[in-house]
Amino acid sequence: MATAYQNLSEYDFNSVPDASEMSIGIVVAEWNKLITEKLLEGACNTLEKHGVKEENILVERVPGSFELTFGAKHLAENHNLDAVIVLGCVIQGDTPHFNYVCSGVTQGITELNLMYDIPFIFGLLTTENMQQAEDRAGGRYGNKGDEAAITAIKMSDFACRLKK
Ligand code: DLZ
């Protein structure tokens, strides 16, 4: 959770493994596109900063966050990837819809992590309002996309090391 104590874009550069041989899939939700495109930009920039080649970053878009699980599963099944990141932004409204979408994605991504040998990274903003989302999409609390990219690199390195 990003707070004044934890900026999403701050990390120790040297603690991140070399990612020049990694292939990473990213599924992005089109709902709240102004936010999710910023998450995507952050994720791609951060992956490339750590060596991932542009041609080894596979980006696919789905209509909303609820579809992220399906999109991530299909990316994993049809491509040779080291990790899949999902990026979305669910903003609380007047109905309980927010809760259903958030718990659907959380459960879906958890299940994918149990089903497959590659990590699925949860880059979903779940906020009360647009300001909180902006604060976490390149605003004062950093960018959730950066955090998701670093996590993808670390977890795919983790999976690779334990396989040997
Ligand atoms: C329907 C809906 C609503 C109300 N809000 C959001 C949201 O804040 N963020 C988001 O990513 N998607 C939202 N959606 C769309 C659902 O995720 C999904 O695309 C539709 O319910 C169709 O399955």
Side-chain angles (χ1 to χ4, degrees), residues 29 31-32 63-67 88-92 97-98 101 124:
W31 259 79
N32 298 316
S65 291
F66 194 77
E67 287 73 44
C89 171
V90 194
I91 299 179
Q92 201 154 17
H97 193 272
F98 172 87
V101 174
L124 187 71

Side-chain angles (χ1 to χ4, degrees), residues 62-112:
V62 294
S65 291
F66 194 77
E67 287 73 44
L68 288 170
T69 305
F70 185 86
K73 179 174 182 280
H74 277 258
L75 272 197
E77 281 177 352
N78 294 302
H79 298 276
N80 190 18
L81 297 169
D82 296 297
V84 178
I85 298 169
V86 304
L87 298 174
C89 171
V90 194
I91 299 179
Q92 201 154 17
D94 296 333
T95 70
H97 193 272
F98 172 87
N99 301 319
Y100 293 114
V101 174
C102 292
S103 62
V105 184
T106 308
Q107 191 185 331
I109 297 306
T110 302
E111 283 181 24
L112 292 179

Side-chain angles (χ1 to χ4, degrees), residues 8-153:
L8 293 160
S9 299
E10 284 174 9
Y11 60 93
D12 175 9
F13 191 94
N14 296 320
S15 74
V16 183
D18 172 58
S20 54
E21 297 304 315
M22 292 182 187
S23 295
I24 310 288
I26 305 180
V27 192
V28 196
E30 290 169 339
W31 259 79
N32 298 316
K33 197 175 178 162
L34 287 179
I35 298 293
T36 60
E37 289 299 317
K38 286 185 188 157
L39 301 181
L40 176 62
E41 190 184 327
C44 290
N45 286 343
T46 302
L47 290 173
E48 288 179 36
K49 210 183 284 177
H50 289 279
V52 183
K53 299 175 187 80
E54 197 182 346
E55 63 267 27
N56 290 337
I57 302 174
L58 176 61
V59 178
E60 291 290 341
R61 289 176 173 78
V62 294
S65 291
F66 194 77
E67 287 73 44
L68 288 170
T69 305
F70 185 86
K73 179 174 182 280
H74 277 258
L75 272 197
E77 281 177 352
N78 294 302
H79 298 276
N80 190 18
L81 297 169
D82 296 297
V84 178
I85 298 169
V86 304
L87 298 174
C89 171
V90 194
I91 299 179
Q92 201 154 17
D94 296 333
T95 70
H97 193 272
F98 172 87
N99 301 319
Y100 293 114
V101 174
C102 292
S103 62
V105 184
T106 308
Q107 191 185 331
I109 297 306
T110 302
E111 283 181 24
L112 292 179
N113 273 301
L114 296 172
M115 280 167 61
Y116 291 87
D117 275 343
I118 60 166
F120 291 80
I121 311 302
F122 187 80
L124 187 71
L125 288 176
T126 58
T127 65
E128 290 165 2
N129 52 51
M130 184 57 83
Q131 185 60 57
Q132 287 182 351
E134 286 171 359
D135 289 345
R136 292 158 178 80
R140 65 185 174 139
Y141 293 140
N143 190 324
K144 182 82 179 163
D146 296 351
E147 184 214 41
I150 296 301
T151 308
I153 293 170

